[in-house]
Amino acid sequence: MNRNSAFRILLADHNCRTRRELARFLVHRNHDVDCASTGYQATRALRKRDYDLILSDINLPQLSFFDLAAHLETEGLETDVVVIANLLDLDRAVSAMHEGAADFLLRPHDLKKVAYTVERIRELKDRRADDARRLQIRREAQMQEETTLALARAAEERDRMNIGHGRRVASYAVEIGRGLCFTEARLERLAFAGKLHDIGKIGIDDAILNKPGRLNDEEYAVMKRHSEIGEYILKPVSAFRDIAPIIRHHHERFDGAGYPDGLAGDEIPLDARILCLCDFFDAITSKRPYREPASLEQALEIIAEEKGAFFDPLVSEVFIKMHHPRRAVVAI
Ligand SMILES: [Fe+2]
Ligand SMILES: [Fe+2]
């Protein structure tokens, strides 16, 4: 909750004077206060809007604290309740604390104590909300990781010649991202994109995907569809929505001769330009049934030659510098 926003309080007390005094005091402290004089009014107010805190008379007509606690539980509300009691009702106030009341206030009211109690509960509530947000972020990150792993495994099960390709592309891409001073969040996104860049191959016919020899023109045209299929698979998943365009464009060339859209230069998302180079590097240094793998030297030679044509010049420089420091042409 935003600390500057009003804390919504339901003040339920049958005593008119108590209601008036406390409401005036709390409103003066910028809280948003509704009043109820009976249990019926209190439960009706609770149905109409959400409250952050209920200050409730322990002897509220038609609704004891225990009825109120049961009502909140039935309605699935986690609103904090502070009971208001006379000294004679101290035992019941303590029982209410055992049953889940956040605190109690004794009559006659010490307004300093009221202010302190409300602030303490507000701070607790803020802390709980922060904890819940952090937990939610952790859960989402874990879900994204697990989904990535499951999808990557599915892709590898289909594309048996490329086991480990996604993971290697992801790790080369992250190295380049570090060289370009990407934030940790962006590096994480790049790693997910690297692992999933060929997910669209799930939609390619087995005879083409696992053909031992080179693909003919017709087969190659079918294979090229994998980048669009990959985008199509990932787009409906909110956690992968910003990765989907990177997947779509990972085969665009810097000079505009790539696919699927023939984008050139800065039109291609930078992360896709990075994946394009890493994808090439891993493919050319991997063994194929129809050719031996290129050496590191040979691969870097080709990347240097294709700088500005196939590959983004800056991305190429960073990659070459990382793998062959003495060849670096520009400092970054
Ligand atoms: Fe690909
Ligand atoms: Fe690939």
Side-chain angles (χ1 to χ4, degrees):
M1 196 183 115
N2 181 349
R3 283 196 65 80
N4 296 320
S5 63
F7 202 48
R8 289 156 304 181
I9 299 173
L10 175 62
L11 173 59
D13 198 303
H14 73 287
N15 186 301
C16 178
R17 200 167 142 208
T18 305
R19 278 200 314 275
R20 208 174 40 233
E21 276 177 14
L22 279 185
R24 194 180 299 150
F25 176 72
L26 293 167
V27 168
H28 186 68
R29 294 183 68 84
N30 291 326
H31 297 307
D32 176 359
V33 183
D34 288 334
C35 290
S37 59
T38 62
Y40 173 71
Q41 282 182 7
T43 49
R44 208 171 54 168
L46 284 167
R47 282 197 191 100
K48 278 190 188 157
R49 64 183 296 207
D50 291 333
Y51 291 95
D52 299 304
L53 171 64
I54 302 168
L55 292 176
S56 179
D57 180 3
I58 205 159
N59 293 316
L60 191 68
Q62 305 154 348
L63 193 78
S64 68
F65 166 77
F66 307 99
D67 296 334
L68 175 61
H71 174 84
L72 292 175
E73 196 175 335
T74 310
E75 298 289 319
L77 298 171
E78 291 181 356
T79 318
D80 287 308
V81 181
V82 170
V83 291
I84 301 169
N86 297 315
L87 197 53
L88 287 174
D89 291 321
L90 189 58
D91 284 354
R92 290 179 62 215
V94 171
S95 304
M97 294 280 290
H98 284 302
E99 292 297 320
D103 208 340
F104 65 86
L105 292 168
L106 287 177
R107 289 194 179 88
H109 296 297
D110 171 352
L111 290 179
K112 266 193 196 155
K113 163 84 170 137
V114 172
Y116 168 79
T117 304
V118 171
E119 272 318 303
R120 191 180 63 79
I121 287 170
R122 182 181 183 129
E123 273 169 23
L124 274 177
K125 198 173 171 71
D126 286 347
R127 217 174 302 152
R128 281 202 301 261
D130 286 346
D131 288 349
R133 259 194 302 276
R134 268 195 293 273
L135 186 65
Q136 175 75 6
I137 289 168
R138 265 209 305 276
R139 276 198 188 131
E140 279 171 10
Q142 191 183 353
M143 177 87 81
Q144 193 177 26
E145 208 158 302
E146 288 169 359
T147 311
T148 301
L149 181 63
L151 287 169
R153 280 184 181 174
E156 281 192 349
E157 281 303 309
R158 293 281 334 277
D159 190 7
R160 303 299 298 172
M161 279 195 292
N162 278 312
I163 302 282
H165 170 64
R167 280 190 301 270
R168 290 192 299 273
V169 167
S171 87
Y172 299 138
V174 167
E175 279 181 63
I176 295 176
R178 285 200 200 287
L180 292 170
C181 300
F182 281 8
T183 60
E184 283 305 312
R186 188 159 179 192
L187 289 174
E188 204 170 276
R189 186 183 75 172
L190 190 56
F192 285 134
K195 285 175 192 166
L196 296 177
H197 73 280
D198 279 335
I199 185 69
K201 287 187 178 175
I202 287 176
I204 303 298
D205 194 86
D206 238 357
I208 296 175
L209 191 60
N210 288 311
K211 183 177 173 180
R214 286 182 193 278
L215 301 180
N216 63 34
D217 289 352
E218 210 174 302
E219 291 162 340
Y220 185 54
V222 173
M223 182 64 110
K224 279 159 75 172
R225 290 202 55 239
H226 78 274
S227 53
E228 289 168 90
I229 297 171
E231 181 198 33
Y232 176 74
I233 290 171
L234 296 180
K235 223 174 180 176
V237 186
S238 59
F240 293 127
R241 208 155 285 152
D242 52 350
I243 289 173
I246 305 171
I247 306 297
R248 178 181 179 91
H249 296 298
H250 78 275
H251 282 295
E252 305 284 2
R253 288 175 49 127
F254 197 74
D255 59 8
Y259 64 89
D261 299 317
L263 301 184
D266 291 348
E267 291 172 342
I268 310 164
L270 177 56
D271 294 29
R273 283 179 260 156
I274 294 172
L275 289 191
C276 172
L277 185 145
C278 300
D279 184 50
F280 168 83
F281 179 78
D282 189 63
I284 198 144
T285 53
S286 299
K287 189 172 165 47
R288 290 285 182 269
Y290 49 87
R291 65 155 171 78
E292 286 304 305
S295 67
L296 174 66
E297 288 285 319
Q298 288 166 328
L300 293 178
E301 197 82 39
I302 298 170
I303 290 170
E305 277 167 20
E306 291 288 343
K307 195 174 69 175
F310 203 138
F311 307 118
D312 178 297
L314 178 62
V315 172
S316 311
E317 286 297 336
V318 173
F319 190 80
I320 292 168
K321 188 178 177 186
M322 277 175 347
H323 289 86
H324 206 320
R326 271 173 295 166
R327 297 171 72 103
V329 179
V330 294
I332 50 164

